[in-house]
């Protein structure tokens, strides 16, 4: 079953499980960052977060490298996206040194609205959701 067939069903258990899991595992992050903020500076905290992320993701990248075909344009696009993501993540991590985690999380969750609005504009398959 391909991805397009999954999107036509009314309820997708796997997709829902992944979404709920992202919420469940996303909760401790802001609390941990705020808890350790008095003890380490923002750059060390960001460095540690990226080292842990790399340690977790590198094995998967090495495994998938054998099956994937990467050309020069994919690497260029990936570097652009990575640069933007690193800047965003550094700013997000630094915010905990200045404001409370509840406000940061509330502000970050507003991305749900913006992502939904932009996907309704950009993706034709999403537009019927407006009418439903």
């Amino acid at each position: 079953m391909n991805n397009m067939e999954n999107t036509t069903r009314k309820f997708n258990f796997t997709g829902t499980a992944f979404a709920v899991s992202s919420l469940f595992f996303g909760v401790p992050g802001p609390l941990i960052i705020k808890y350790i903020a008095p003890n380490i500076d923002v750059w060390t905290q960001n460095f540690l977060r990226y080292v842990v992320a790399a340690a977790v993701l590198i094995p998967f990248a090495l495994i998938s490298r054998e099956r994937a075909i990467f050309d020069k344009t994919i690497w260029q696009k990936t570097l652009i996206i990575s640069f933007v993501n690193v800047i965003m993540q550094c700013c997000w991590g630094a915010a905990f040194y200045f404001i409370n985690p509840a406000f940061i999380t509330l502000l970050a969750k507003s991305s749900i609205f913006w992502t939904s609005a932009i996907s309704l504009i950009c993706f034709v398959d999403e537009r019927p959701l407006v009418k439903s």
Side-chain angles (χ1 to χ4, degrees), residues 91-114:
C91 291
W92 184 81
F96 290 96
Y97 289 78
F98 302 101
I99 55 180
N100 291 326
F103 181 71
I104 296 167
T105 304
L106 180 66
L107 187 61
K109 296 306 175 198
S110 74
S111 69
I112 294 170
F113 169 77
W114 297 110

Side-chain angles (χ1 to χ4, degrees), residues 16-28 109 112:
T16 303
F18 281 129
V20 170
S21 296
S22 73
L23 290 174
F24 178 74
F25 289 108
V27 169
K109 296 306 175 198
I112 294 170

Side-chain angles (χ1 to χ4, degrees), residues 23-121:
L23 290 174
F24 178 74
F25 289 108
V27 169
L31 301 176
I32 292 169
I33 292 171
K34 187 63 175 183
Y35 178 74
I36 64 172
N39 301 313
I40 60 174
D41 66 296
V42 66
W43 300 111
T44 304
Q45 176 261 127
N46 275 318
F47 173 77
L48 293 173
R49 284 190 311 122
Y50 275 99
V51 167
V52 170
V56 170
L57 295 176
I58 285 174
F60 293 105
L62 293 174
I63 291 168
S64 67
R65 185 182 67 163
E66 296 171 3
R67 295 187 304 247
I69 299 171
F70 290 109
D71 63 359
K72 188 177 179 180
T73 59
I74 290 175
W75 283 111
Q76 290 171 342
K77 291 175 184 177
T78 303
L79 288 174
I80 292 168
I81 293 168
S82 297
F83 177 76
V84 171
N85 186 49
V86 166
I87 298 297
M88 183 274 303
Q89 286 288 334
C90 288
C91 291
W92 184 81
F96 290 96
Y97 289 78
F98 302 101
I99 55 180
N100 291 326
F103 181 71
I104 296 167
T105 304
L106 180 66
L107 187 61
K109 296 306 175 198
S110 74
S111 69
I112 294 170
F113 169 77
W114 297 110
T115 302
S116 300
I118 292 171
S119 67
L120 290 172
I121 294 168

